[in-house]
Amino acid sequence: MRLCGFLFLFIIITNIASNIFGYKTFGDWDSDAQLQKIKNDPIKFKISVVLILIEHLSIISLAVTLFITFSPYNIILGIVWCIFRIGEALIQIYDKNNYWGLLNIAKQYSDTSGVEKDVLIDLGRSILKTKEFRFVFAQILFSIGTLAYSTLFVTYGVVPTIIGWFGIIASILYGFGNGIFLIKPNFKVLWSIGGLLIFLFEVVLGGWLLLYSVVIP
């Protein structure tokens, strides 16, 4: 439980850290500006990608750790969250190979002009759009995985029921928010509300698991 709690919080910290170094998790298609930033500070770009990769790998570790800790209560739910959360992470990791390509595009970008530069800007925009689509799809998998272990928490009382119900509500709202976004990209209200609830849920759950393990061996 203690390791599960640590991983929940570690994932949040690495995600925030990657954003501090310039990684945009969602909704930034300004290819021209992005390529300029990468060209001006490629080290910062590399650090941001490494941090987000650590976050993705930690998601796999969390899924496995949750399975080891809680699947004895319900093996089917354990398999569900393992498949969907690991699937979420693998999609994100695969996408980073594509995203890393912005580094090479940014190098060429500084030495070109006119039509050739426009081609590079369009290529960069295509990579950013693809990253966003894959992110949204991965978050639908995330929501299903989160719903699975939240349901287990409520059903078997392994964490306070209010935390489990909070996770169920947050994962459903966030999942529908991402699904709607795929159809209507301009409708982000439900996605934003669900995202905030998911953030609060994981902070509270991670903190509780750490505290529970310390107080009750």
Side-chain angles (χ1 to χ4, degrees), residues 35-112:
L35 292 175
Q36 189 65 42
K37 286 180 183 178
I38 296 169
K39 181 181 77 71
N40 292 338
D41 197 344
I43 299 298
K44 192 174 181 181
F45 173 80
K46 291 177 183 178
I47 292 173
S48 72
V49 176
V50 169
L51 286 169
I52 202 66
L53 280 172
I54 292 172
E55 188 251 20
H56 299 335
L57 291 170
S58 297
I59 290 172
I60 296 174
S61 299
L62 173 63
V64 173
T65 306
L66 283 169
F67 183 83
I68 293 170
T69 306
F70 296 110
S71 65
Y73 292 97
N74 190 310
I75 189 66
I76 295 176
L77 288 174
I79 291 172
V80 169
W81 78 61
C82 242
I83 290 174
F84 282 93
R85 292 234 52 186
I86 290 175
E88 166 213 346
L90 291 177
I91 288 172
Q92 298 268 48
I93 291 170
Y94 173 79
D95 181 67
K96 294 308 168 288
N97 181 56
N98 191 39
Y99 183 68
W100 187 267
L102 288 175
L103 190 60
N104 292 326
I105 294 174
K107 292 176 183 177
Q108 299 174 51
Y109 170 86
S110 61
D111 299 324
T112 59

Coordinates of all heavy atoms in Angstrom, one line a residue, residues 35-112:
L35 N 8.6 24.9 -32.1 CA 9.9 24.6 -32.7 C 10.9 25.7 -32.3 O 12.1 25.4 -32.1 CB 9.7 24.6 -34.2 CG 8.9 23.4 -34.8 CD1 8.7 23.5 -36.3 CD2 9.6 22.1 -34.5
Q36 N 10.5 26.9 -32.2 CA 11.4 28.0 -31.8 C 11.9 27.8 -30.4 O 13.1 27.9 -30.1 CB 10.6 29.3 -31.8 CG 11.5 30.6 -31.7 CD 12.5 30.7 -32.8 OE1 12.2 30.6 -33.9 NE2 13.8 31.1 -32.4
K37 N 11.0 27.3 -29.4 CA 11.4 27.1 -28.1 C 12.4 25.9 -28.0 O 13.4 26.0 -27.3 CB 10.2 26.7 -27.2 CG 9.3 27.8 -26.9 CD 8.1 27.3 -26.0 CE 7.1 28.5 -25.7 NZ 6.0 28.0 -24.9
I38 N 12.1 24.9 -28.8 CA 13.0 23.7 -28.8 C 14.4 24.1 -29.3 O 15.4 23.7 -28.8 CB 12.4 22.5 -29.6 CG1 11.1 22.0 -28.9 CG2 13.4 21.4 -29.7 CD1 10.3 21.1 -29.8
K39 N 14.4 24.9 -30.4 CA 15.6 25.3 -31.0 C 16.5 26.2 -30.0 O 17.7 26.0 -30.0 CB 15.3 26.2 -32.3 CG 16.6 26.7 -33.0 CD 16.2 27.5 -34.2 CE 15.8 28.9 -33.8 NZ 16.9 29.7 -33.3
N40 N 15.8 27.0 -29.3 CA 16.5 27.9 -28.3 C 17.0 27.2 -27.1 O 18.0 27.6 -26.5 CB 15.5 29.0 -27.9 CG 15.2 30.0 -29.0 OD1 15.9 30.1 -30.0 ND2 14.1 30.7 -28.8
D41 N 16.3 26.1 -26.7 CA 16.8 25.3 -25.5 C 16.5 23.9 -25.7 O 15.5 23.3 -25.0 CB 16.1 25.9 -24.3 CG 16.8 25.5 -23.0 OD1 17.6 24.6 -23.0 OD2 16.5 26.1 -21.9
P42 N 17.3 23.1 -26.5 CA 17.0 21.7 -26.7 C 17.2 20.9 -25.5 O 16.6 19.8 -25.3 CB 18.0 21.3 -27.8 CG 19.1 22.4 -27.7 CD 18.4 23.6 -27.3
I43 N 18.1 21.3 -24.5 CA 18.3 20.5 -23.3 C 17.0 20.5 -22.4 O 16.7 19.5 -21.9 CB 19.5 21.2 -22.5 CG1 20.8 21.1 -23.3 CG2 19.6 20.4 -21.1 CD1 21.2 19.7 -23.6
K44 N 16.4 21.6 -22.4 CA 15.1 21.7 -21.6 C 14.1 20.8 -22.2 O 13.3 20.1 -21.5 CB 14.6 23.2 -21.6 CG 13.5 23.5 -20.6 CD 13.2 24.9 -20.6 CE 12.1 25.2 -19.6 NZ 11.7 26.7 -19.6
F45 N 14.0 20.7 -23.5 CA 13.1 19.9 -24.2 C 13.4 18.4 -23.9 O 12.5 17.6 -23.5 CB 13.2 20.1 -25.7 CG 12.3 19.1 -26.5 CD1 11.0 19.2 -26.7 CD2 13.0 18.0 -27.1 CE1 10.2 18.3 -27.4 CE2 12.2 17.1 -27.9 CZ 10.8 17.2 -28.0
K46 N 14.7 18.0 -23.9 CA 15.1 16.6 -23.6 C 14.7 16.3 -22.2 O 14.2 15.2 -21.9 CB 16.6 16.5 -23.9 CG 17.0 16.6 -25.3 CD 18.5 16.5 -25.5 CE 18.9 16.6 -26.9 NZ 20.4 16.6 -27.1
I47 N 15.0 17.2 -21.2 CA 14.6 16.9 -19.8 C 13.1 16.7 -19.7 O 12.7 15.8 -18.9 CB 15.1 18.1 -18.9 CG1 16.7 18.1 -18.9 CG2 14.6 17.9 -17.5 CD1 17.2 19.3 -18.2
S48 N 12.3 17.5 -20.3 CA 10.9 17.4 -20.2 C 10.4 16.1 -20.7 O 9.5 15.5 -20.1 CB 10.2 18.6 -21.0 OG 10.3 18.4 -22.4
V49 N 11.0 15.6 -21.8 CA 10.5 14.3 -22.4 C 11.0 13.2 -21.5 O 10.2 12.2 -21.3 CB 11.1 14.1 -23.8 CG1 10.7 12.7 -24.3 CG2 10.5 15.2 -24.8
V50 N 12.2 13.2 -20.9 CA 12.7 12.2 -20.0 C 11.8 12.1 -18.8 O 11.4 11.0 -18.3 CB 14.1 12.5 -19.6 CG1 14.6 11.5 -18.5 CG2 15.1 12.3 -20.8
L51 N 11.4 13.3 -18.3 CA 10.5 13.3 -17.1 C 9.2 12.7 -17.4 O 8.6 11.9 -16.6 CB 10.4 14.7 -16.6 CG 11.6 15.4 -15.9 CD1 11.4 16.9 -15.7 CD2 11.8 14.7 -14.5
I52 N 8.6 13.0 -18.6 CA 7.3 12.5 -18.9 C 7.4 11.0 -19.2 O 6.4 10.2 -18.9 CB 6.6 13.2 -20.0 CG1 5.1 13.1 -20.0 CG2 7.1 12.8 -21.4 CD1 4.4 13.7 -18.8
L53 N 8.5 10.5 -19.7 CA 8.7 9.1 -19.9 C 8.8 8.4 -18.5 O 8.3 7.2 -18.4 CB 10.0 8.8 -20.7 CG 9.8 9.0 -22.2 CD1 11.2 8.9 -22.9 CD2 8.9 8.0 -22.8
I54 N 9.5 9.0 -17.6 CA 9.5 8.4 -16.2 C 8.1 8.3 -15.7 O 7.8 7.3 -15.0 CB 10.4 9.3 -15.3 CG1 11.9 9.2 -15.8 CG2 10.3 8.8 -13.9 CD1 12.8 10.1 -15.1
E55 N 7.3 9.3 -15.9 CA 5.9 9.3 -15.5 C 5.1 8.1 -16.1 O 4.4 7.4 -15.4 CB 5.2 10.6 -15.8 CG 3.8 10.8 -15.2 CD 2.7 10.7 -16.3 OE1 3.0 10.1 -17.4 OE2 1.6 11.1 -16.0
H56 N 5.3 7.9 -17.4 CA 4.6 6.8 -18.1 C 5.1 5.5 -17.5 O 4.2 4.6 -17.3 CB 4.9 6.9 -19.6 CG 4.4 8.2 -20.2 ND1 3.4 8.9 -19.7 CD2 4.8 8.8 -21.4 CE1 3.1 10.0 -20.5 NE2 4.0 9.9 -21.5
L57 N 6.4 5.3 -17.3 CA 6.9 4.0 -16.8 C 6.4 3.8 -15.4 O 6.1 2.7 -15.0 CB 8.4 4.1 -16.8 CG 9.1 4.0 -18.2 CD1 10.6 4.3 -18.1 CD2 8.8 2.7 -18.9
S58 N 6.2 4.9 -14.6 CA 5.7 4.8 -13.3 C 4.3 4.3 -13.2 O 3.8 3.6 -12.3 CB 5.8 6.1 -12.5 OG 7.2 6.5 -12.4
I59 N 3.5 4.7 -14.3 CA 2.1 4.2 -14.4 C 2.1 2.7 -14.5 O 1.2 2.1 -13.9 CB 1.4 4.9 -15.6 CG1 1.2 6.4 -15.3 CG2 0.1 4.2 -15.9 CD1 0.7 7.2 -16.5
I60 N 3.0 2.2 -15.3 CA 3.1 0.7 -15.4 C 3.4 0.1 -14.1 O 2.8 -0.9 -13.7 CB 4.1 0.3 -16.5 CG1 3.7 0.8 -17.9 CG2 4.3 -1.2 -16.5 CD1 4.7 0.5 -19.0
S61 N 4.3 0.7 -13.4 CA 4.7 0.2 -12.0 C 3.5 0.2 -11.1 O 3.3 -0.7 -10.3 CB 5.9 1.0 -11.5 OG 7.0 0.9 -12.3
L62 N 2.8 1.3 -11.2 CA 1.6 1.5 -10.3 C 0.5 0.4 -10.6 O 0.0 -0.2 -9.7 CB 1.0 2.9 -10.5 CG -0.3 3.2 -9.8 CD1 -0.2 3.1 -8.3 CD2 -0.9 4.5 -10.2
A63 N 0.3 0.2 -11.9 CA -0.7 -0.8 -12.3 C -0.4 -2.2 -11.7 O -1.2 -2.9 -11.2 CB -0.9 -0.9 -13.8
V64 N 0.9 -2.5 -11.8 CA 1.4 -3.8 -11.3 C 1.3 -3.9 -9.8 O 0.9 -4.9 -9.2 CB 2.8 -4.1 -11.8 CG1 3.4 -5.4 -11.2 CG2 2.8 -4.2 -13.3
T65 N 1.7 -2.8 -9.2 CA 1.7 -2.7 -7.7 C 0.3 -2.8 -7.1 O 0.1 -3.5 -6.1 CB 2.4 -1.5 -7.2 OG1 3.7 -1.4 -7.8 CG2 2.6 -1.5 -5.7
L66 N -0.6 -2.1 -7.8 CA -2.0 -2.2 -7.4 C -2.5 -3.6 -7.5 O -3.3 -4.1 -6.7 CB -2.8 -1.2 -8.2 CG -2.8 0.3 -7.8 CD1 -3.4 1.2 -8.9 CD2 -3.4 0.6 -6.5
F67 N -2.1 -4.2 -8.6 CA -2.6 -5.6 -8.9 C -2.1 -6.5 -7.8 O -2.9 -7.3 -7.2 CB -2.1 -6.1 -10.2 CG -2.6 -7.4 -10.6 CD1 -3.8 -7.6 -11.2 CD2 -1.8 -8.5 -10.4 CE1 -4.3 -8.9 -11.5 CE2 -2.2 -9.8 -10.7 CZ -3.5 -10.0 -11.3
I68 N -0.8 -6.4 -7.4 CA -0.3 -7.3 -6.4 C -1.0 -7.1 -5.1 O -1.2 -8.0 -4.3 CB 1.3 -7.0 -6.3 CG1 2.0 -7.5 -7.6 CG2 1.8 -7.8 -5.1 CD1 3.4 -7.1 -7.6
T69 N -1.2 -5.8 -4.8 CA -1.8 -5.4 -3.5 C -3.3 -5.7 -3.3 O -3.7 -6.3 -2.3 CB -1.6 -3.9 -3.2 OG1 -0.2 -3.6 -3.4 CG2 -2.0 -3.5 -1.8
F70 N -4.1 -5.4 -4.4 CA -5.5 -5.5 -4.2 C -6.3 -6.5 -5.1 O -7.4 -6.8 -4.8 CB -6.1 -4.1 -4.6 CG -5.7 -3.0 -3.7 CD1 -4.8 -2.0 -4.1 CD2 -6.1 -3.0 -2.3 CE1 -4.4 -1.0 -3.2 CE2 -5.7 -2.0 -1.5 CZ -4.9 -1.0 -1.9
S71 N -5.6 -7.2 -6.1 CA -6.3 -8.1 -6.9 C -6.8 -9.3 -6.1 O -7.8 -10.0 -6.6 CB -5.4 -8.6 -8.1 OG -4.2 -9.3 -7.6
P72 N -6.2 -9.7 -5.0 CA -6.8 -10.9 -4.2 C -8.2 -10.6 -3.8 O -9.0 -11.6 -3.6 CB -5.9 -11.0 -3.0 CG -4.6 -10.5 -3.5 CD -4.9 -9.3 -4.4
Y73 N -8.7 -9.4 -3.8 CA -10.1 -9.1 -3.4 C -11.0 -9.4 -4.6 O -12.1 -9.9 -4.5 CB -10.2 -7.6 -3.1 CG -9.6 -7.2 -1.7 CD1 -8.3 -6.6 -1.7 CD2 -10.2 -7.4 -0.5 CE1 -7.7 -6.3 -0.5 CE2 -9.7 -7.1 0.7 CZ -8.4 -6.5 0.7 OH -7.8 -6.2 1.9
N74 N -10.5 -9.1 -5.8 CA -11.3 -9.3 -7.0 C -10.3 -9.4 -8.2 O -9.9 -8.4 -8.7 CB -12.3 -8.2 -7.3 CG -13.3 -8.6 -8.3 OD1 -12.9 -9.0 -9.5 ND2 -14.6 -8.4 -8.1
I75 N -10.0 -10.6 -8.7 CA -9.0 -10.8 -9.7 C -9.5 -10.2 -11.1 O -8.6 -9.7 -11.8 CB -8.7 -12.3 -9.9 CG1 -7.5 -12.5 -10.8 CG2 -9.9 -13.1 -10.4 CD1 -6.2 -11.9 -10.3
I76 N -10.8 -10.2 -11.3 CA -11.3 -9.7 -12.6 C -11.0 -8.2 -12.7 O -10.5 -7.7 -13.7 CB -12.8 -10.0 -12.8 CG1 -12.9 -11.5 -12.9 CG2 -13.3 -9.3 -14.1 CD1 -14.4 -12.0 -13.0
L77 N -11.4 -7.5 -11.6 CA -11.2 -6.0 -11.6 C -9.7 -5.7 -11.7 O -9.2 -4.8 -12.3 CB -11.8 -5.4 -10.4 CG -13.3 -5.3 -10.3 CD1 -13.8 -4.8 -9.0 CD2 -13.8 -4.4 -11.4
G78 N -8.9 -6.6 -11.0 CA -7.4 -6.4 -11.1 C -6.9 -6.5 -12.5 O -6.0 -5.7 -12.9
I79 N -7.4 -7.5 -13.2 CA -6.9 -7.7 -14.6 C -7.4 -6.5 -15.5 O -6.6 -6.0 -16.3 CB -7.5 -9.0 -15.2 CG1 -6.8 -10.2 -14.5 CG2 -7.3 -9.1 -16.7 CD1 -7.4 -11.5 -14.8
V80 N -8.6 -6.0 -15.2 CA -9.1 -4.9 -16.0 C -8.2 -3.6 -15.8 O -7.8 -3.0 -16.8 CB -10.6 -4.5 -15.6 CG1 -11.0 -3.2 -16.2 CG2 -11.5 -5.6 -16.0
W81 N -7.9 -3.3 -14.5 CA -7.1 -2.1 -14.4 C -5.7 -2.2 -14.9 O -5.1 -1.3 -15.4 CB -7.2 -1.5 -13.0 CG -6.4 -2.2 -11.9 CD1 -5.0 -2.3 -11.9 CD2 -6.8 -2.8 -10.7 NE1 -4.6 -3.0 -10.7 CE2 -5.7 -3.3 -10.0 CE3 -8.1 -3.0 -10.1 CZ2 -5.8 -3.9 -8.8 CZ3 -8.2 -3.6 -8.9 CH2 -7.0 -4.1 -8.2
C82 N -5.2 -3.5 -14.8 CA -3.8 -3.7 -15.3 C -3.8 -3.5 -16.8 O -2.9 -2.8 -17.3 CB -3.4 -5.1 -14.9 SG -2.0 -5.2 -13.8
I83 N -4.7 -4.1 -17.5 CA -4.7 -4.0 -18.9 C -4.9 -2.6 -19.4 O -4.1 -2.1 -20.3 CB -5.9 -4.9 -19.5 CG1 -5.5 -6.4 -19.3 CG2 -6.1 -4.6 -21.0 CD1 -6.7 -7.3 -19.8
F84 N -5.9 -1.9 -18.8 CA -6.2 -0.5 -19.3 C -5.1 0.5 -18.9 O -4.8 1.4 -19.7 CB -7.6 -0.1 -18.9 CG -8.6 -0.8 -19.7 CD1 -9.2 -2.0 -19.3 CD2 -9.1 -0.2 -20.9 CE1 -10.2 -2.6 -20.1 CE2 -10.0 -0.8 -21.7 CZ -10.6 -2.0 -21.3
R85 N -4.6 0.4 -17.7 CA -3.6 1.4 -17.3 C -2.3 1.1 -17.9 O -1.5 2.1 -18.2 CB -3.5 1.5 -15.7 CG -4.8 2.0 -15.1 CD -4.5 3.2 -14.2 NE -3.8 4.3 -14.7 CZ -3.4 5.3 -14.0 NH1 -3.6 5.4 -12.7 NH2 -2.7 6.3 -14.6
I86 N -1.9 -0.1 -18.1 CA -0.7 -0.4 -18.8 C -0.8 0.0 -20.3 O 0.1 0.5 -20.9 CB -0.3 -1.9 -18.7 CG1 0.2 -2.2 -17.2 CG2 0.8 -2.3 -19.6 CD1 0.5 -3.6 -16.9
G87 N -2.0 -0.3 -20.8 CA -2.3 0.1 -22.2 C -2.2 1.6 -22.4 O -1.6 2.1 -23.4
E88 N -2.7 2.4 -21.4 CA -2.6 3.8 -21.4 C -1.1 4.3 -21.5 O -0.7 5.1 -22.3 CB -3.2 4.4 -20.1 CG -2.9 5.8 -19.8 CD -2.9 6.1 -18.3 OE1 -3.3 5.3 -17.5 OE2 -2.4 7.2 -18.0
A89 N -0.3 3.7 -20.6 CA 1.1 4.0 -20.5 C 1.9 3.7 -21.8 O 2.7 4.5 -22.3 CB 1.8 3.4 -19.3
L90 N 1.6 2.5 -22.4 CA 2.3 2.1 -23.6 C 2.0 3.0 -24.8 O 2.8 3.3 -25.6 CB 1.9 0.6 -23.9 CG 2.5 -0.4 -22.9 CD1 2.0 -1.8 -23.3 CD2 4.0 -0.4 -22.9
I91 N 0.7 3.4 -24.9 CA 0.3 4.4 -25.9 C 1.1 5.6 -25.8 O 1.7 6.2 -26.8 CB -1.2 4.6 -25.9 CG1 -2.0 3.4 -26.4 CG2 -1.5 5.9 -26.8 CD1 -3.5 3.5 -26.2
Q92 N 1.2 6.1 -24.6 CA 2.0 7.4 -24.3 C 3.4 7.2 -24.6 O 4.1 8.1 -25.2 CB 1.7 7.8 -22.9 CG 0.3 8.1 -22.5 CD -0.1 9.6 -22.7 OE1 0.2 10.2 -23.7 NE2 -0.7 10.1 -21.7
I93 N 4.0 6.1 -24.2 CA 5.4 5.9 -24.4 C 5.7 5.8 -25.9 O 6.7 6.4 -26.5 CB 5.9 4.6 -23.7 CG1 5.9 4.8 -22.2 CG2 7.3 4.2 -24.2 CD1 6.1 3.5 -21.4
Y94 N 4.8 5.1 -26.7 CA 5.0 4.9 -28.1 C 5.0 6.3 -28.8 O 5.7 6.6 -29.7 CB 3.9 4.0 -28.7 CG 3.9 4.0 -30.2 CD1 4.8 3.2 -30.9 CD2 2.9 4.7 -30.9 CE1 4.7 3.1 -32.3 CE2 2.9 4.7 -32.3 CZ 3.8 3.9 -33.0 OH 3.8 3.8 -34.3
D95 N 4.1 7.1 -28.3 CA 3.9 8.5 -28.9 C 5.1 9.3 -28.7 O 5.4 10.2 -29.5 CB 2.7 9.2 -28.3 CG 2.5 10.6 -28.9 OD1 2.1 10.6 -30.1 OD2 2.7 11.6 -28.2
K96 N 5.9 9.1 -27.6 CA 7.0 10.0 -27.3 C 8.1 9.8 -28.4 O 8.9 10.7 -28.6 CB 7.6 9.7 -25.9 CG 6.6 10.1 -24.8 CD 6.1 11.5 -25.0 CE 4.9 11.9 -24.1 NZ 3.7 11.3 -24.5
N97 N 8.2 8.6 -29.0 CA 9.1 8.5 -30.1 C 8.8 9.4 -31.2 O 9.7 10.0 -31.8 CB 9.1 7.0 -30.6 CG 10.1 6.8 -31.7 OD1 11.3 7.0 -31.6 ND2 9.6 6.3 -32.9
N98 N 7.6 9.6 -31.5 CA 7.1 10.5 -32.5 C 7.4 12.0 -32.1 O 7.9 12.8 -32.8 CB 5.6 10.3 -32.8 CG 5.1 11.1 -34.0 OD1 5.7 11.2 -35.0 ND2 3.9 11.6 -33.9
Y99 N 7.0 12.3 -30.8 CA 7.2 13.6 -30.3 C 8.7 14.0 -30.2 O 9.0 15.2 -30.5 CB 6.6 13.6 -28.9 CG 6.6 15.0 -28.2 CD1 5.8 16.0 -28.6 CD2 7.4 15.2 -27.1 CE1 5.8 17.3 -28.0 CE2 7.4 16.4 -26.4 CZ 6.7 17.4 -26.9 OH 6.7 18.7 -26.3
W100 N 9.6 13.1 -29.9 CA 11.0 13.3 -29.9 C 11.5 13.9 -31.3 O 12.5 14.6 -31.3 CB 11.8 12.1 -29.5 CG 13.2 12.3 -29.3 CD1 14.2 12.1 -30.2 CD2 13.8 12.7 -28.0 NE1 15.4 12.4 -29.6 CE2 15.2 12.8 -28.3 CE3 13.4 13.1 -26.8 CZ2 16.2 13.2 -27.3 CZ3 14.3 13.5 -25.8 CH2 15.6 13.5 -26.1
G101 N 10.8 13.5 -32.3 CA 11.1 13.9 -33.7 C 11.1 15.5 -33.8 O 11.7 16.0 -34.8
L102 N 10.4 16.2 -32.9 CA 10.4 17.6 -33.0 C 11.8 18.2 -32.8 O 12.1 19.3 -33.3 CB 9.4 18.2 -31.9 CG 7.9 18.0 -32.1 CD1 7.2 18.5 -30.9 CD2 7.5 18.7 -33.4
L103 N 12.6 17.5 -32.1 CA 14.0 17.9 -31.9 C 14.8 18.1 -33.2 O 15.4 19.1 -33.5 CB 14.7 17.0 -30.9 CG 16.1 17.4 -30.4 CD1 16.0 18.7 -29.6 CD2 16.7 16.3 -29.5
N104 N 14.7 17.1 -34.0 CA 15.3 17.1 -35.3 C 14.7 18.1 -36.3 O 15.4 18.8 -37.0 CB 15.3 15.7 -36.0 CG 16.1 14.7 -35.3 OD1 17.2 15.1 -34.8 ND2 15.7 13.5 -35.3
I105 N 13.4 18.3 -36.2 CA 12.7 19.3 -37.0 C 13.1 20.7 -36.6 O 13.3 21.5 -37.4 CB 11.1 19.1 -36.9 CG1 10.7 17.8 -37.5 CG2 10.4 20.2 -37.6 CD1 9.2 17.4 -37.2
A106 N 13.2 20.9 -35.3 CA 13.7 22.2 -34.8 C 15.1 22.5 -35.3 O 15.3 23.7 -35.6 CB 13.6 22.2 -33.3
K107 N 15.9 21.6 -35.4 CA 17.3 21.8 -35.9 C 17.2 22.3 -37.4 O 17.9 23.2 -37.8 CB 18.2 20.6 -35.7 CG 18.5 20.2 -34.3 CD 19.3 18.9 -34.2 CE 19.5 18.5 -32.8 NZ 20.2 17.2 -32.7
Q108 N 16.4 21.6 -38.2 CA 16.3 22.0 -39.6 C 15.6 23.3 -39.7 O 15.9 24.1 -40.6 CB 15.5 20.9 -40.3 CG 16.1 19.5 -40.3 CD 15.2 18.4 -40.9 OE1 14.7 18.6 -42.0 NE2 15.0 17.4 -40.2
Y109 N 14.6 23.6 -38.8 CA 13.8 24.8 -38.8 C 14.6 26.0 -38.8 O 14.4 27.0 -39.5 CB 12.8 24.7 -37.7 CG 12.1 26.0 -37.4 CD1 10.9 26.2 -38.0 CD2 12.5 26.9 -36.4 CE1 10.1 27.3 -37.7 CE2 11.8 28.0 -36.1 CZ 10.6 28.3 -36.8 OH 9.8 29.4 -36.5
S110 N 15.7 26.0 -38.0 CA 16.5 27.2 -37.9 C 17.4 27.5 -39.1 O 17.9 28.6 -39.3 CB 17.5 27.0 -36.7 OG 18.3 25.9 -36.9
D111 N 17.5 26.5 -40.0 CA 18.4 26.7 -41.2 C 17.6 26.8 -42.5 O 18.2 26.7 -43.6 CB 19.4 25.5 -41.3 CG 20.3 25.4 -40.1 OD1 20.7 26.5 -39.6 OD2 20.6 24.3 -39.7
T112 N 16.3 26.9 -42.4 CA 15.4 27.0 -43.6 C 14.6 28.3 -43.6 O 14.5 29.0 -42.7 CB 14.5 25.8 -43.7 OG1 13.7 25.8 -42.5 CG2 15.2 24.5 -43.7

